């Protein structure tokens, strides 16, 4: 079965310092992995996705993530945090469903807090 | 990216009544839409997969008679919470699948059952 584990429920950083949000996955085959961001009272927005192409994936707003098969990880990073980055971040893996389709499985989420 | 809308954005209803939530893909056709439920400070829980022209596939533990899903067209799926109770109060989010890899999410509907 495919699943993701977000290791931290909260991450707190100062503005201008690096961000690291951790995600480990479990999959019996090469997975497709995604990071989404959810701002308060707004819909989820796709930050980036990995689908078996380049292992270092660049996303929007300066975020990137690296797929490391040996570590079964897909951590999200950003060199310098902005106040506007404060939000909930979800790591997502696709899993097979009946009929050959795929459905998404969400991690529990990591709340990013950015201090001035 | 593509746009998915939900209506209403928030609804308050009395216990025992039914509430319908609409999910529309505004600029693409979606054969598959997903319905999620999100409790405060928690992750999204997939409730069901809505397939255009066929019955929805419900996740384990989700009552199909309680949460009726209709995907009558390629741009519209509806979720009806029947005989709502206070424990049904939650944030309901839909998404529409675009191609094989991408989902676009609606902004969510906050339901409060009194």
């Amino acid at each position: 079965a495919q699943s993701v584990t977000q290791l931290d429920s909260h991450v707190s950083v100062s503005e201008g310092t690096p961000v690291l949000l951790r995600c480990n996955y479990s999959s019996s085959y090469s997975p497709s992995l995604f990071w989404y961001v959810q701002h308060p009272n707004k819909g989820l927005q796709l930050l980036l996705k990995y689908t078996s192409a380049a292992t270092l994936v660049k996303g929007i707003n300066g975020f990137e993530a690296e797929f490391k098969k040996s570590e079964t990880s897909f951590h999200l990073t950003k060199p310098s945090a902005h106040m506007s980055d404060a939000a909930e971040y979800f790591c997502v893996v696709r899993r097979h469903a009946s009929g050959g389709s795929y459905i998404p499985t969400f991690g529990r989420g990591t709340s990013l807090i950015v201090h001035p | 990216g593509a746009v998915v809308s939900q209506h209403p954005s928030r609804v308050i209803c009395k216990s025992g009544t039914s509430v319908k939530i609409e999910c529309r893909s505004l600029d693409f056709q979606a054969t598959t839409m997903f319905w999620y439920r999100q409790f405060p400070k928690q992750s999204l829980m997939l409730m069901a997969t809505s397939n255009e022209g066929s019955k929805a596939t419900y996740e384990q533990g989700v009552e199909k008679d309680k949460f009726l899903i209709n995907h009558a067209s390629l741009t519209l799926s509806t979720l009806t919470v029947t005989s709502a109770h206070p424990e049904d109060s939650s944030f309901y989010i839909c998404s529409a699948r675009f191609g094989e890899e991408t989902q676009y999410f609606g902004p969510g509907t906050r339901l409060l059952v009194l």
Side-chain angles (χ1 to χ4, degrees):
Chain A
Q2 292 75 46
S3 66
V4 287
T5 302
Q6 290 184 246
L7 298 159
D8 307 294
S9 60
H10 296 84
V11 169
S12 183
V13 301
S14 297
E15 190 176 21
T17 63
V19 175
L20 170 64
L21 305 182
R22 299 183 292 168
C23 174
N24 285 93
Y25 69 89
S26 170
S27 178
S28 55
Y29 55 90
S30 185
S32 291
L33 294 157
F34 308 79
W35 274 99
Y36 285 88
V37 61
Q38 185 182 34
H39 289 274
N41 302 315
K42 290 190 177 179
L44 281 89
Q45 183 181 20
L46 178 67
L47 281 176
L48 49 81
K49 62 182 179 183
Y50 167 77
T51 56
S52 76
T55 55
L56 181 61
V57 182
K58 293 188 184 298
I60 61 171
N61 301 336
F63 284 95
E64 61 182 39
E66 186 171 7
F67 174 74
K68 290 187 177 180
K69 187 175 181 179
S70 61
E71 298 176 10
T72 61
S73 68
F74 190 58
H75 302 334
L76 182 70
T77 60
K78 182 173 180 177
S80 175
H82 262 238
M83 295 297 292
S84 59
D85 294 328
E88 194 77 17
Y89 291 80
F90 294 97
C91 184
V92 178
V93 66
R94 287 193 324 177
R95 64 178 170 94
H96 283 297
S98 59
S101 63
Y102 298 96
I103 57 177
T105 299
F106 278 72
R108 65 171 178 169
T110 298
S111 181
L112 177 63
I113 301 160
V114 182
H115 298 288
Chain B
V3 178
V4 174
S5 71
Q6 279 184 244
H7 178 79
S9 57
R10 7 174 117 233
V11 56
I12 302 172
C13 69
K14 291 182 180 179
S15 188
T17 61
S18 293
V19 174
K20 181 187 281 189
I21 302 170
E22 293 185 347
C23 177
R24 292 181 186 272
S25 56
L26 297 184
D27 47 6
F28 68 101
Q29 294 182 328
T31 55
T32 302
M33 291 184 174
F34 301 99
W35 285 98
Y36 299 85
R37 184 172 180 176
Q38 185 180 29
F39 291 101
K41 305 291 185 185
Q42 293 189 31
S43 187
L44 279 72
M45 182 193 79
L46 181 65
M47 298 174 68
T49 303
S50 170
N51 299 299
E52 187 267 337
S54 65
K55 289 183 179 179
T57 304
Y58 289 82
E59 294 297 299
Q60 195 171 9
V62 178
E63 298 175 60
K64 58 182 69 176
D65 295 330
K66 172 81 173 168
F67 298 99
L68 299 178
I69 291 172
N70 186 358
H71 194 154
S73 79
L74 287 170
T75 58
L76 173 64
S77 175
T78 60
L79 168 68
T80 302
V81 183
T82 62
S83 186
H85 286 278
E87 58 265 29
D88 298 324
S89 299
S90 192
F91 195 49
Y92 292 89
I93 301 172
C94 75
S95 71
R97 193 166 74 189
F98 181 77
E100 191 61 37
E101 301 292 343
T102 304
Q103 285 188 90
Y104 293 103
F105 285 82
T109 296
R110 191 162 300 284
L111 170 63
L112 177 62
V113 185
L114 302 176

